[in-house]
């Protein structure tokens, strides 16, 4: 085992905070069974205490010990997509303290696939509570450098596992109420989930359980950002004139101060998205224009994050 992974596990055992890579985004981890450690985590995130966090495990067996009931649908999804970018919401068992669930009777469980996350989870042995390693309401980090920019001294150790491969947060499926409900789209599509389950998966509704990803203006840059349809991009650029940064599929336009070109397929786009938003936010422009992606299902995860970034 790498010495810094061992050190990270020791910090967690002492109730400290460690940032670590996952395949989705970087997480800020704390011992999920320690009330004090989780309190420290919420303080570092500046996150309200009634927002639940996801608890991470090395495998499904460890994760399901924190659920009071594991429906067949959970078994199916775990078998197909764990380890991977999927979070399951289940009724919590006595193992899961109310301080990780925001006082709710359900718990978010995830088994990440990133080798460094796996190594850390195995070294630590227990559940690691980990929200994305950014301050509350900011764009999630997909590199170790992003984490240091955001959290600085508040995190004892940042494990570096390179840029996150998926780039947007895990898909969250709520199975606590009988039917499967997709609370947050991610790297796994609603169609893939439905296929694995052999039943349809509903989209999130406003009255689904509380989840901070569901709040407006989450994942948002500080610079005002707008989503514009492809056919009006040119017009919008002409109208703005002043310092504008653009995120688009097409080739740069000379009138624009800062132009970032994005991949035309959703997985590649997602992988680059948060770094791109950070870059545009740092470009000292007065506004950001984002060319709207296609309305198709495979763009759902990206579209969700862009809608939040521009709401
Ligand atoms: O990809 C990910 O899921 C990343 C990596 C680090 O694993 N984590 C992540 O955590 O995005 P966070 O805390 O930034 O977002 C977790 C989402 C929040 O919207 C949270 O409220 C929701 O999961 N959540 C957690 N437990 C829940 C529960 N019991 N019911 C409903 N939503 C829950
Ligand atoms: Mg987050």
């Amino acid at each position: 085992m790498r010495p810094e992974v061992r050190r990270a596990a020791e910090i967690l055992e002492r109730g400290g905070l460690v940032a670590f890579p996952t395949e989705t985004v970087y997480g800020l981890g704390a011992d999920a069974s320690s009330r004090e450690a989780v309190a420290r985590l919420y303080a570092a995130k500046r996150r309200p205490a009634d927002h639940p966090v996801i608890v991470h495990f090395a495998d499904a067996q460890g994760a399901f010990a924190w659920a009071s009931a594991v429906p067949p649908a959970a078994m199916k999804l775990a078998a197909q997509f764990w380890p991977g970018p999927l979070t399951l919401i289940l009724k919590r068992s006595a193992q899961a303290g109310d301080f990780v669930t925001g006082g709710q009777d359900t718990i978010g469980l995830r088994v990440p696939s990133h080798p460094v996350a796996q190594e850390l989870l195995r070294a630590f042995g227990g559940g690691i509570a980990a929200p994305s390693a950014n301050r509350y309401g900011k764009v999630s980090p997909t590199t170790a450098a992003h984490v240091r920019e955001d959290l600085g001294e508040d995190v004892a150790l940042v494990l570096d596992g390179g840029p996150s491969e998926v780039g947007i947060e895990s898909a969250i499926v709520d199975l606590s109420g009988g039917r499967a409900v997709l609370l947050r789209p991610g790297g796994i599509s609603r169609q893939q989930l439905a296929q694995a389950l052999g039943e349809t998966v509903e989209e999130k509704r406003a009255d689904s359980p509380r989840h901070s990803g569901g709040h407006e203006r989450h994942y948002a840059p500080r610079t005002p950002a707008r989503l514009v349809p492809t056919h009006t991009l040119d017009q919008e650029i002409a109208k703005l004139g002043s310092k504008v940064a653009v995120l688009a599929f097409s080739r740069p336009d000379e009138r624009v101060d800062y132009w970032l070109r994005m991949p035309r397929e959703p997985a590649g786009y997602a992988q680059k998205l948060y770094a791109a938003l950070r870059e545009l936010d740092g470009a000292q422009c007065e506004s950001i224009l984002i060319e709207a992606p296609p309305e198709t299902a495979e763009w759902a995860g990206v579209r969700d994050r862009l809608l939040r970034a521009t709401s």
Side-chain angles (χ1 to χ4, degrees):
M1 185 189 307
R2 265 166 290 188
E4 67 270 28
V5 173
R6 182 171 308 282
R7 194 154 77 82
E10 284 163 8
I11 291 169
L12 291 175
E13 278 154 26
R14 290 198 305 268
L17 306 182
V18 166
F20 62 98
T22 85
E23 68 280 17
T24 58
V25 300
Y26 275 65
L28 179 62
D31 177 356
S33 63
S34 160
R35 184 182 291 274
E36 293 71 35
V38 172
R40 221 163 274 140
L41 177 64
Y42 277 72
K45 275 281 290 186
R46 315 254 194 276
R47 183 179 205 162
D50 65 343
H51 286 192
V53 284
I54 296 172
V55 184
H56 300 66
F57 295 87
D59 53 37
Q61 196 191 346
F64 287 155
W66 285 49
S68 62
V70 181
M75 299 282 195
K76 279 189 204 165
L77 292 184
Q80 180 136 358
F81 299 112
W82 277 354
L86 173 70
T87 295
L88 297 179
I89 308 293
L90 298 174
K91 292 272 187 228
R92 74 177 157 101
S93 72
Q95 284 252 24
D98 60 359
F99 49 88
V100 284
T101 67
Q104 301 184 71
D105 65 351
T106 55
I107 176 119
L109 302 168
R110 175 156 125 75
V111 176
S113 64
H114 194 291
V116 176
Q118 275 288 329
E119 204 180 341
L120 177 64
L121 285 160
R122 290 189 192 282
F124 178 64
I128 301 179
S132 50
N134 54 296
R135 296 253 196 251
Y136 179 67
K138 291 281 156 54
V139 172
S140 294
T142 53
T143 67
H146 293 162
V147 178
R148 289 195 201 93
E149 271 164 40
D150 282 1
L151 298 178
E153 300 296 296
D154 286 350
V155 52
L157 179 66
V158 182
L159 292 175
D160 192 341
S164 295
E165 226 176 281
V166 177
I168 58 175
E169 301 81 354
S170 59
I172 303 181
V173 179
D174 186 356
L175 294 171
S176 67
R179 309 147 307 160
V181 183
L182 182 62
L183 297 184
R184 180 173 73 183
I188 300 168
S189 74
R190 198 155 69 95
Q191 287 64 24
Q192 282 174 286
L193 293 163
Q195 197 162 31
L197 286 175
E199 57 177 282
T200 59
V201 174
E202 283 175 60
E203 295 254 26
K204 149 196 129 190
R205 293 190 328 272
D207 60 348
S208 299
R210 253 197 321 269
H211 59 112
S212 67
H215 288 220
E216 296 284 290
R217 267 199 78 74
H218 205 62
Y219 316 102
R222 288 175 306 267
T223 314
R226 263 190 315 129
L227 206 55
V228 296
T230 304
H231 67 275
T232 65
L233 187 60
D234 186 62
Q235 251 169 278
E236 292 291 337
I237 289 167
K239 227 187 308 177
L240 277 169
S242 69
K243 301 209 82 168
V244 58
V246 174
L247 192 67
F249 298 103
S250 46
R251 249 175 283 138
D253 181 312
E254 282 170 6
R255 294 165 297 177
V256 168
D257 294 282
Y258 207 96
W259 190 285
L260 257 185
R261 212 174 159 185
M262 295 296 276
R264 281 189 189 275
E265 49 72 44
Y269 193 111
Q271 206 269 325
K272 292 199 159 64
L273 176 58
Y274 287 144
L277 289 178
R278 279 169 189 264
E279 187 178 335
L280 292 184
D281 211 12
Q284 318 272 308
C285 286
E286 279 158 22
S287 55
I288 297 173
L289 292 182
I290 302 172
E291 183 176 357
E295 297 280 331
T296 53
E298 64 270 26
W299 285 91
V302 164
R303 214 165 42 239
D304 170 79
R305 301 325 186 270
L306 288 178
L307 284 171
R308 293 176 203 286
T310 55
S311 72

